[in-house]
Amino acid sequence: MTRVTFVGAGSVEFTRQLVGDLLRFDDLGPLDLRLFDIDERRLAVAEGTARQVGERLNRPLTTTATTDRRRALADADFVVDMVQIGGIEATRHDLEIPARYGLRQTIGDTTGVGGVFRALRTFPFLTALTADIRDVAPDAVFLNYTNPMAMNVWWTSLVAPELTTLGLCHSVYWTAHDLAELVGLSVEQTRFRAAGVNHQAWLLEWTHGGRDLYPVLRERIAADPELLRRVRVEVFRRIGYYPTETSEHSSEYLPWFLRDQEQVERFRLRPMEYLEISENNVREFHAAERALAAGEPLALEEEAAEYAPQVIHSLVTGTEREIHANVVNRGLIDNLPAGCVVEVPTTVGVGGISPVPMGSLPVQAAAVNRPYVSVAELTIEAARTGDPRLVRQAVLVDPNASSTLTPERIWALCNDLVAAHGDLLPPELRVQLPVDAL
């Protein structure tokens, strides 16, 4: 029996998707699913969801729901992390406080000021979680979905280097899926490989029957001027490779878009969009709670697209497949720093987990990635050393923040976010710094 623990299982819609994908593998065998969350109400809905999915798919499933983390983790084969430390209230702070300073973000969970503060409140949790895994499930494979992905996997590599850790994100798959559809193909008809950093990797290989599809994409764009109003198409035009995250995400990693209202309107951006997404997630939770109470069926997605179930299936059954994963850069991308976290093709199967060395990125793509890596590096160092100046310096080198705010205002903004997040941050970083100190 395969033992899988979901940490943060109260993310009910995601739990439903992962359980459904797992149970659709007929050869996986019985599944022992442990659900952990600190919110008992959400945990109850997650448990009811998992049980209903198991019954509807008629697959053997043992489900345990608990607020005791070590009990949930004991002897697990796989641990899937999908927590959001601070919940929707912390997300509001990450987006609304910078907006009061004139700093626009769309999602605010990956890099930039929102990503920095989300990381700083997640790191203490990851330290405690991985300590428990090492103690009660030392052979478990740790599969992280929690953002900021690159920072969280990087931090895990420092506090728990002996764990087998993969950061999983569906952005590369859905980019390839949507682009294939745009040129009149199914994703299964194409071959694709991407490399870079999470949410800012680059589609380096994209072919159909050995034919490069980039010329086809350029023709498609030229035939539809509306496509030129997508951020990702603009990045593709300027850099020459297509980025692997949505236009909303991509806009806030660069200095080109959100600082200027004309650009916001031209590229149809919606600052603070993630607040609406978060509120919709809350509504979906309540809808699932009502449906379970009434004995009504929950919606099930048909397509098995998430990577965690695929990784679990491959490692249990030996079925070889290639996914894209976030891993420590140990000779994988030559022109990004060693030790940072990169997103690369990764083979999983009978031989275990094998990230694919990709050599050097195109020089212009690596140049765009490096500020993202620097924000992550400074955030990691702030948490590792307890130096609150490094928090401000991480935001200072972010392209979006530095294109919008003066250093003095970045210091003041960080002071406000420190006060707002309070006890969620490491104690040594809950410090107000004078904006004009030498």
Side-chain angles (χ1 to χ4, degrees):
M1 181 176 286
T2 302
R3 296 176 294 276
V4 181
T5 300
F6 287 180
V7 177
S11 303
V12 172
E13 184 180 13
F14 200 36
T15 289
R16 180 168 71 237
Q17 179 67 52
L18 293 179
V19 173
D21 284 1
L22 279 169
L23 294 183
R24 287 190 176 94
F25 290 118
D26 293 335
D27 57 344
L28 187 57
L31 184 67
D32 178 9
L33 179 66
R34 290 89 170 275
L35 306 172
F36 166 76
D37 205 285
I38 60 172
D39 186 322
E40 293 186 356
R41 182 178 176 185
R42 281 187 166 271
L43 188 60
V45 175
E47 181 179 23
T49 296
R51 292 188 187 280
Q52 187 190 103
V53 172
E55 291 167 1
R56 288 171 60 185
L57 296 180
N58 195 28
R59 292 296 314 284
L61 176 66
T62 300
T63 305
T64 303
T66 179
T67 57
D68 183 332
R69 189 170 67 206
R70 289 173 68 88
R71 180 187 171 208
L73 292 170
D75 299 318
D77 299 305
F78 300 92
V79 177
V80 181
D81 175 34
M82 44 190 171
V83 302
Q84 183 182 354
I85 303 300
I88 191 172
E89 190 61 29
T91 297
R92 288 187 189 283
H93 293 326
D94 286 341
L95 292 169
E96 290 179 347
I97 293 174
R100 292 202 286 267
Y101 281 79
L103 176 57
R104 299 179 176 107
Q105 300 170 96
T106 50
I107 310 297
D109 71 349
T110 296
T111 186
V113 66
V116 167
F117 278 86
R118 182 178 282 235
L120 292 174
R121 62 180 184 267
T122 305
F123 290 168
F125 171 81
L126 283 173
T127 301
L129 173 63
T130 55
D132 282 346
I133 295 172
R134 287 182 293 165
D135 192 23
V136 302
D139 297 323
V141 177
F142 183 49
L143 304 175
N144 179 72
Y145 273 104
T146 295
N147 284 321
M149 175 66 70
M151 293 194 224
N152 287 338
V153 174
W154 194 339
W155 182 257
T156 299
S157 76
L158 298 179
V159 298
E162 66 272 42
L163 288 186
T164 299
T165 300
L166 286 180
L168 302 178
C169 176
H170 46 225
S171 61
V172 173
Y173 171 83
W174 284 113
T175 295
H177 178 282
D178 294 347
L179 286 179
E181 187 176 87
L182 189 63
V183 299
L185 297 169
S186 69
V187 69
E188 292 79 15
Q189 292 176 288
T190 67
R191 173 175 170 78
F192 60 92
R193 274 186 164 178
V197 291
N198 180 240
H199 290 177
Q200 201 184 60
W202 308 96
L203 194 63
L204 300 179
E205 179 182 345
W206 185 43
T207 60
H208 171 234
R211 178 177 64 130
D212 182 11
L213 287 171
Y214 266 144
V216 183
L217 177 62
R218 289 188 176 93
E219 291 174 5
R220 180 71 180 84
I221 293 170
D224 185 355
E226 276 300 296
L227 292 175
L228 296 175
R229 297 183 66 196
R230 294 184 182 180
V231 164
R232 285 204 283 179
V233 171
E234 178 71 355
V235 174
F236 172 49
R237 291 173 72 198
R238 306 305 176 185
I239 302 301
Y241 293 88
Y242 207 83
T244 60
E245 188 45 83
T246 63
S247 287
E248 292 74 24
H249 268 290
S250 295
S251 69
E252 62 184 353
Y253 309 151
L254 298 161
W256 311 340
F257 300 104
L258 289 168
R259 68 176 177 179
D260 184 275
Q261 182 60 29
E262 182 180 353
Q263 289 284 84
V264 169
E265 294 171 3
R266 175 184 173 188
F267 290 100
R268 299 172 293 190
L269 294 168
R270 291 191 296 134
M272 297 201 294
E273 180 177 352
Y274 192 56
L275 282 183
E276 181 180 340
I277 294 170
S278 298
E279 289 163 355
N280 285 338
N281 288 339
V282 172
R283 284 190 284 271
E284 287 166 1
F285 163 75
H286 290 304
E289 186 177 43
R290 289 192 298 271
L292 289 170
E296 298 170 353
L298 301 169
L300 290 180
E301 300 287 340
E302 291 299 325
E303 185 170 5
E306 289 296 341
Y307 281 148
Q310 295 178 46
V311 171
I312 292 168
H313 177 259
S314 286
L315 294 180
V316 171
T317 67
T319 304
E320 186 166 306
R321 51 170 54 90
E322 184 176 279
I323 66 167
H324 283 77
N326 293 273
V327 291
V328 176
N329 187 23
R330 298 189 178 102
L332 300 174
I333 296 181
D334 295 339
N335 52 351
L336 291 181
C340 77
V341 168
V342 293
E343 189 162 47
V344 293
T346 301
T347 300
V348 290
V350 68
I353 298 170
S354 301
V356 177
M358 296 297 287
S360 291
L361 294 177
V363 64
Q364 70 274 28
V368 173
N369 285 159
R370 287 192 191 106
Y372 174 117
V373 174
S374 293
V375 173
E377 183 178 28
L378 285 161
T379 306
I380 293 285
E381 277 299 287
R384 192 183 68 81
T385 64
D387 185 346
R389 292 172 301 173
L390 288 166
V391 176
R392 281 77 179 167
Q393 290 159 354
V395 180
L396 186 66
V397 303
D398 170 61
N400 184 38
S402 61
S403 73
T404 306
L405 301 180
T406 65
E408 182 178 71
R409 287 180 65 77
I410 285 173
W411 255 244
L413 166 59
C414 289
N415 283 343
D416 285 355
L417 283 166
V418 165
H421 287 306
D423 291 348
L424 292 176
L425 300 176
E428 59 274 18
L429 298 181
R430 301 172 202 161
V431 176
Q432 300 289 306
L433 294 184
V435 300
D436 55 356
L438 292 176

